[in-house]
Amino acid sequence: MSRTWSFYDPATGRLVGRTFSGPEAALAINTPPGLAAIEGQHDHVTHRVSLSTGLVEKWREPAPSRDHEWDSTAGAWQLSTAAERRAALAEILAAESLQARALREAVLELLPPGKGQRLREIDDSIATHRAKLQRPVE
């Protein structure tokens, strides 16, 4: 008689998402090394084997960070709206911080020689510091 088993890590109880269907006599040879088998086809994302009882129980991985919240519709951890907003703001600020250099370079290209001395001094100072970044770290 054919039955189905799910494989799990006996050290953690985490189901690995692999199964075997067939006669019980063939289970041992089809069990991957280091794994154990439990009868039934179980969802490895939402269930695990309890190490204390040996039974399959509902389970979900801990949140990857404090910025994640459980989305029951998707059945997965998602970044919270607040975290997505913070990330978007950080990306905007990073992109905006690049504007100053681009604008400085554009203005310097348009200025006639001898004009924009203060801006040229700032650009020279930045170039001096950038050159220091090119030296190998010891």
Side-chain angles (χ1 to χ4, degrees):
M1 179 170 146
S2 183
R3 294 168 31 201
T4 300
W5 289 269
S6 294
F7 298 114
Y8 69 96
D9 180 339
T12 64
R14 293 187 70 179
L15 293 156
V16 297
R18 292 183 59 189
T19 60
F20 167 72
S21 293
E24 187 170 5
L27 177 61
I29 196 166
N30 285 287
T31 300
L35 298 181
I38 189 162
E39 190 168 359
Q41 186 162 349
H42 306 286
D43 181 2
H44 70 284
V45 175
T46 60
H47 291 81
R48 73 172 182 179
V49 177
S50 168
L51 297 179
S52 59
T53 67
L55 302 174
V56 175
E57 62 185 6
K58 282 191 161 230
W59 179 80
R60 70 175 117 166
E61 289 190 43
S65 76
R66 292 182 300 155
D67 290 332
H68 286 76
E69 56 191 20
W70 184 254
D71 182 336
S72 57
T73 304
W77 291 106
Q78 304 286 336
L79 273 178
S80 68
T81 303
E84 286 180 342
R85 292 175 57 86
R86 284 192 304 275
L89 181 58
E91 291 293 329
I92 290 168
L93 291 173
E96 286 179 343
S97 73
L98 300 175
Q99 290 181 114
R101 180 178 180 181
L103 287 172
R104 185 181 70 253
E105 290 170 350
V107 169
L108 285 171
E109 285 180 21
L110 297 173
L111 286 175
K115 297 292 183 186
Q117 187 57 34
R118 178 72 180 123
L119 194 55
R120 291 183 195 285
E121 289 169 2
I122 292 169
D123 193 56
D124 289 343
S125 174
I126 291 170
T128 299
H129 293 295
R130 273 204 187 104
K132 293 175 187 175
L133 295 175
Q134 300 304 316
R135 288 186 267 181
V137 177
E138 295 175 7

